[in-house]
Amino acid sequence: LVRPFHEIPGLWKNGAANLYAFWKQDGFKNLHHIMIDTESCYYDSVNIIKPVDAATLFRAEGYYPKRLRVEAWTSYRDYRNRKYGVLLKDGEDWRSNRVILNKEVISPKMLGNFAPLLDEVGQDFVARIHKKIERSGQNKWTTDLSQELFKYALESVGSVLYGERLGLLLDYIDPEAQHFIDCITLMFKTTSPMLYIPPALLRTLGAKVWRDHVQAWDGIFGQADRCIQNIYRKLKEPVQSDKYPGVLASLLMLDKLSIEDIKASVTELMAGGVDTTSITLLWTLYELARHPALQEELRAEVATARAQSQGDLLGMLKRIPLLKGALKETLRLHPVAVSLQRYITEDIAIQNYHIPSGTLVQLGLFAMGRDPSVFPRPEQYQPSRWLRTENNYFRSLGFGFGPRQCLGRRIAETEMQLFLIHMLENFRVEKQRHVEVRSTFQLIVLPETPIILTIKPL
Ligand code: HEM
Ligand code: 2DC
């Protein structure tokens, strides 16, 4: 017997009272914790956390999967008269752009082009850390690595998008590139309050959060425009080599998307490629510092993979299952996205309740990752749990699922794998005191306090 929609338990029927209760819990920064405690949510949505329900949800996502619209991001583009990229498009416009972008950005065929570029960035990163250690005069470096990781991430995604280096790992860095990084952080931070207070209203009121948000996106688009113009100019020069020219040049030469569409999506890729991978790497280093035995196990896996692959980069990436498990484990405990969402396009039954087509259904990723009925001993960081692939059904969802999943997934995975390979081959990562670092929500899930690590050469 399937029970009707209006019988679903939760607080969702009373919007205003909810928002008040939410605010009292400091919900703007605690969304990920509140989602564990309550089964319902603060939008008109149904919340789920079980893998079987996730399977039902994604079966009903339709041909044009649509997630919750981040009003702040679309408002900025409307305000400045800029096109939406693949992140914000919907319907056929999304689909036709995404199909073309898939071939250039997420197709496994591109890994052969991306991996050597990303490997070079990884090598430069460890060289930079070695230098920092030398300069410290103590044969170690104790620091909050987040700024270094932002640079690594931007350098990585930049080299893939533009086929050339931005130079963020050099001693002197372009202040504009640093500004870009700061703008992304500000952009995410100013987005979260606007999930609950309509940006149109804040704009009319001239609120600071809206003005900061506009300034942040202006900085992001300004820098991306400069990078794009630079490549566009070079493409007009006759000299061409057979070297892989990067995603942007490939898209321009392919000539299947309008230049405005290309610009919009390349800007989103550049902006989406910084905080996501860097924070995930920071959490991973934090976990490795807390688990020294595991760190040695991973180092051994990498050494064997390096020896067996004999210089074949892609071959090496196929021989590091535990390291890949570590990245999945990091995204389980510290997902970038608190939730995945879809507007379902057909009626479904979840937990025996009828849910009509058109409803927004949210899968609480943060909550699912910490649910003991889904992951036994969820508090333990155990990369080996991912090696038994038979019980991974709808559990590894950090990058989303299906045709609307993360477009940057292959870049992110390769970039993070190569980073960890080079770090493990060069350094031991340690932690001073044993303090549990909590998460905070600034649109993406971030460490609440700085993570201080000590890096020592092997
Ligand atoms: C979308 C996670 C890195 C670009 C998404 C989504 C998630 C996600 C959960 C929504 C997927 C869905 O609704 O099913 C992550 C994580 C990352 C990461 C965990 C790294 C650890 C990146 C990088 C880029 C990127 C490096 C750019 C190079 C995008 C874009 C979308 C997206 C453009 C929108 C795709 C669309 O709507 O068609 N990401 N991401 N992400 N991500 Fe990522
Ligand atoms: C935030 O309730 C919480 O990958 C909201 O690289 C629902 C929601 C909707 C869309 C999600 C967002 C959350 C978190 C950040 C995500 C975003 C879709 C893409 C974006 C997951 C869960 C992200 C970080 C992209 C960002 C690219 C952008 C900077 C151009």
Side-chain angles (χ1 to χ4, degrees), residues 19-307:
L19 194 58
Y20 176 68
F22 189 52
W23 172 74
K24 286 225 318 197
Q25 295 177 69
D26 201 10
F28 293 147
K29 285 183 178 168
N30 283 323
L31 180 66
H32 53 297
H33 292 127
I34 293 171
M35 285 179 75
I36 290 185
D37 301 337
T38 50
E39 286 180 6
S40 63
C41 180
Y42 299 86
Y43 316 100
D44 256 353
S45 75
V46 171
N47 257 38
I48 58 171
I49 59 161
K50 302 284 182 210
V52 280
D53 298 334
T56 311
L57 164 61
F58 288 116
R59 265 197 302 275
E61 69 174 2
Y63 190 62
Y64 303 121
K66 186 168 150 49
R67 71 171 83 85
L68 187 87
R69 178 184 164 101
V70 179
E71 217 69 58
W73 298 351
T74 52
S75 296
Y76 169 81
R77 283 151 181 82
D78 298 346
Y79 177 59
R80 287 281 191 239
N81 250 315
R82 289 201 175 259
K83 278 205 104 165
Y84 296 177
V86 76
L87 171 76
L88 301 173
K89 285 181 188 292
D90 277 311
E92 184 49 42
D93 188 25
W94 167 77
R95 180 114 198 156
S96 57
N97 275 252
R98 174 82 198 212
V99 165
I100 292 160
L101 289 165
N102 279 346
K103 293 203 191 85
E104 299 298 328
V105 184
I106 198 175
S107 148
K109 279 188 210 144
M110 285 298 143
L111 279 193
N113 291 325
F114 296 167
L117 295 171
L118 295 169
D119 189 50
E120 197 184 290
V121 181
Q123 287 176 23
D124 289 354
F125 185 81
V126 294
R128 183 175 166 91
I129 302 295
H130 275 301
K131 227 189 254 173
K132 298 269 189 193
I133 293 173
E134 247 165 61
R135 283 182 199 160
S136 79
Q138 296 180 307
N139 204 34
K140 64 179 183 189
W141 190 32
T142 300
T143 187
D144 170 7
L145 261 189
S146 51
Q147 283 303 320
E148 292 298 322
L149 290 169
F150 288 154
K151 289 178 204 158
Y152 169 77
L154 179 53
E155 189 71 21
S156 294
V157 74
S159 78
V160 167
L161 291 177
Y162 306 120
E164 56 180 44
R165 298 291 296 266
L166 302 174
L168 281 150
L169 301 178
L170 303 173
D171 276 331
Y172 172 80
I173 42 168
D174 176 9
E176 312 247 303
Q178 182 60 56
H179 181 63
F180 180 81
I181 292 175
D182 300 337
C183 283
I184 295 174
T185 309
L186 182 64
M187 180 276 291
F188 279 127
K189 192 179 156 172
T190 50
T191 303
S192 14
M194 289 193 267
L195 288 175
Y196 314 99
I197 309 167
L201 175 67
L202 293 168
R203 190 181 135 189
T204 323
L205 296 174
K208 179 162 162 43
V209 59
W210 167 255
R211 284 183 281 127
D212 286 350
H213 193 67
V214 167
Q215 228 179 35
W217 277 121
D218 282 348
I220 292 168
F221 275 96
Q223 179 66 3
D225 281 347
R226 276 190 290 277
C227 294
I228 293 168
Q229 274 311 318
N230 176 37
I231 297 300
Y232 194 68
R233 251 198 326 271
K234 284 187 186 162
L235 222 61
K236 289 188 179 153
E237 293 164 13
V239 265
Q240 301 280 333
S241 67
D242 51 1
K243 183 173 146 272
Y244 174 67
V247 169
L248 172 62
S250 304
L251 287 170
L252 289 169
M253 291 187 297
L254 198 64
D255 200 25
K256 285 197 179 153
L257 292 177
S258 74
I259 293 181
E260 291 311 309
D261 275 339
I262 294 176
K263 278 180 156 180
S265 284
V266 167
T267 303
E268 288 172 359
L269 285 166
M270 190 179 171
V274 181
D275 295 37
T276 47
T277 48
S278 53
I279 297 295
T280 308
L281 287 172
L282 185 61
W283 283 120
T284 307
L285 293 178
Y286 165 75
E287 295 292 356
L288 298 190
R290 296 207 300 170
H291 302 88
L294 169 69
Q295 190 179 141
E296 293 312 319
E297 214 181 312
L298 287 166
R299 211 182 318 281
E301 183 186 71
V302 167
T304 309
R306 173 75 74 189

